Amino acid sequence: MTASSFDTAPVAPAGRPPVRRGGRPFTLSPRTSFLLRRLGRMAVSLGIVVVATFAIIHLVPGDPVRAVLGPSAPAELVARTRSELGLDQPLLVQFWNYVVALVQGDLGTSLQTHRPVADTLAQRAPATLVLAGVSFVIAAVGALPIGLATAISVRSGRRRWLDLAASALVGLLIVVPNFLLAVGLVWLFAVQWHVLPVAGWGDPAQLVLPVLALAIGPMAYLARIVHVELLAVLDATYMTTARSKRLPSRLIYLRHALPNMLTSALTIGGLMLTGMVAGTVLIETIFAIPGLGTTIVSSITAKDYPMIQGVVLVYAAMVLALNLIVDLVLMSIDPRSSLAEG
C-alpha cells in the first residue's frame, strides 16, 4: 500500500460544523437552540431547589417522628418509625435515596396522612392553579383598559384632577399587601353586606373574594406599567408620523401603539404571574382553600418532610414552567430579544 492511498479520504476543514449528506451543515434552528437552553436552565434550577429544600428542612431543629407520634409515644415506637422511614441514616444517604426515588417519580409518603405525597399534590394542585390562573386573567383584562385610559387622558391634558386621583388609587393598591386586602374584602362583602361567603371552595361565589384579593394589587401594578409604556410609545417618532397621516385615533392606538408596548407588558405580566402563584399561600390560608398553600403551611407545622419537599418542588416547577411559557411567547412576538441571548 502506497502513501498516496491515504491521501484520497476527504478531511473536513477544522472549525466547520459537521456536514450531513447533501452537503448541508448540521445546525440547530434558533428556536430549537433557544428552547434547549431554557430547558437546561430549568433542569439546573430544579436541581438547586431539590438540594436547597432537603438541606434547609433537615437543618430545622426538632424530630419529625416525635412531632407526628406525639410527646407521649414510647421511645421504642419512635425509634422503629424513624428506622422504617430511613431517618436514622446519615444525611447523605437520605439525600441519595430521596433523589433516586424522585427520579423514579416517587415523592415519598406523608408523615401525617400516610398517603403518597404525589396523590395529595394531584388532589390539591388544581385549586391553586385555578386560583392563580383566574386571578391573572382578571388582572390582565382589567389592567389594559385602565392603563390605556389613564395614559390617553394624561396625553390629552384634560381632567387633570381625575388623573391624579386615579394615579393615587393605583399607587395605594400596589403597596397594600394582598392578605390585608383580603381581610378588608371579607369584612366588607361578607361581614357587613352579607353578599359573598367568608371562606370555602367549590361554589363559584366562593371564588370571588380570593380572586379579587390576589388580583387587585397585580392589576394596579400592570396598569401602571401599561400607562408608562404607552406614554413612551406615544412620544416615539413613528407615532408622530402616524398622526401626521391623519389616521383615526382608534387605528393609532390599536394598530401602532398597542403592539409596540406589548413586549414589555408581557414581560412584567409573566413575572407578575409567578408572583401570584407564590402569593396563593397566604390567600388559601385566609379563605381556607384546599390547595398547595394550606398544604405546605400544615406540613411545616407538623414537620412533614416529604410533603414539604413535594410542595416546594411543585411550586418551583410551576414557576419555572410559567417563565418558560412567557419566554416562548416573547420569542414568538419579538425573536430578536430572546434569540440574541447566549
Side-chain angles (χ1 to χ4, degrees):
M1 184 178 295
T2 61
S4 60
S5 62
F6 293 98
D7 300 333
T8 59
V11 179
R16 293 186 180 180
V19 178
R20 297 183 299 181
R21 292 182 179 180
R24 295 181 180 179
F26 182 79
T27 56
L28 295 174
S29 65
R31 293 178 182 272
T32 303
S33 178
F34 171 80
L35 180 59
L36 291 177
R37 291 198 305 268
R38 284 293 186 267
L39 290 176
R41 295 178 185 178
M42 183 175 178
V44 172
S45 299
L46 285 176
I48 295 174
V49 169
V50 170
V51 175
T53 306
F54 183 88
I56 290 174
I57 65 174
H58 282 81
L59 291 176
V60 175
D63 186 358
V65 177
R66 177 66 69 178
V68 172
L69 298 179
S72 59
E76 295 79 5
L77 177 60
V78 173
R80 185 171 64 252
T81 305
R82 188 181 293 111
S83 177
E84 292 174 354
L85 297 174
L87 297 178
D88 58 340
Q89 299 177 352
L91 284 181
L92 291 179
V93 176
Q94 294 184 41
F95 178 72
W96 173 255
N97 294 334
Y98 171 67
V99 172
V100 171
L102 187 62
V103 172
Q104 297 174 353
D106 183 9
L107 297 178
T109 303
S110 172
L111 300 180
Q112 288 180 287
T113 62
H114 304 288
R115 293 181 54 196
V117 173
D119 293 347
T120 303
L121 296 181
Q123 183 181 2
R124 297 295 185 95
T128 300
L129 291 174
V130 169
L131 177 61
V134 174
S135 300
F136 176 74
V137 171
I138 297 298
V141 172
L144 188 60
I146 294 174
L148 292 175
T150 54
I152 294 172
S153 179
V154 169
R155 184 73 181 180
S156 63
R158 301 174 182 176
R159 298 179 180 178
R160 184 65 179 171
W161 64 271
L162 184 59
D163 300 332
L164 293 176
S167 298
L169 179 60
V170 168
L172 178 63
L173 294 177
I174 291 174
V175 299
V176 174
N178 55 7
F179 67 89
L180 188 59
L181 185 61
V183 174
L185 291 174
V186 169
W187 177 83
L188 182 62
F189 289 99
V191 177
Q192 295 296 322
W193 293 349
H194 303 285
V195 294
L196 291 172
V198 176
W201 188 256
D203 189 354
Q206 296 173 334
L207 186 64
V208 176
L209 289 183
V211 165
L212 289 178
L214 191 59
I216 288 178
M219 180 175 62
Y221 182 72
L222 188 58
R224 176 65 61 85
I225 297 299
V226 173
H227 174 95
V228 173
E229 290 295 328
L230 184 59
L231 289 179
V233 168
L234 292 177
D235 291 333
T237 304
Y238 60 86
M239 292 300 298
T240 304
T241 304
R243 283 190 291 266
S244 66
K245 295 180 180 179
R246 298 185 180 277
L247 295 175
S249 299
R250 176 176 56 85
L251 293 180
I252 291 177
Y253 289 117
L254 296 180
R255 182 178 298 178
H256 297 280
L258 188 59
N260 286 281
M261 53 155 286
L262 190 59
T263 302
S264 58
L266 280 176
T267 304
I268 299 299
L271 297 175
M272 185 181 69
L273 178 57
T274 57
M276 293 173 72
V277 171
T280 56
V281 175
L282 286 175
I283 298 301
E284 289 178 8
T285 304
I286 293 173
F287 291 98
I289 298 175
L292 296 178
T294 53
T295 303
I296 194 172
V297 170
S298 61
S299 301
I300 292 174
T301 304
K303 294 183 174 61
D304 191 347
Y305 289 174
M307 187 62 71
I308 296 173
Q309 292 171 328
V311 175
V312 172
L313 186 61
V314 169
Y315 265 117
M318 290 167 57
V319 170
L320 292 172
L322 290 174
N323 285 330
L324 178 62
I325 293 173
V326 171
D327 287 340
L328 293 176
V329 172
L330 290 175
M331 182 189 65
S332 301
I333 296 175
D334 187 8
R336 296 172 299 177
S337 60
S338 298
L339 298 180
E341 297 180 6

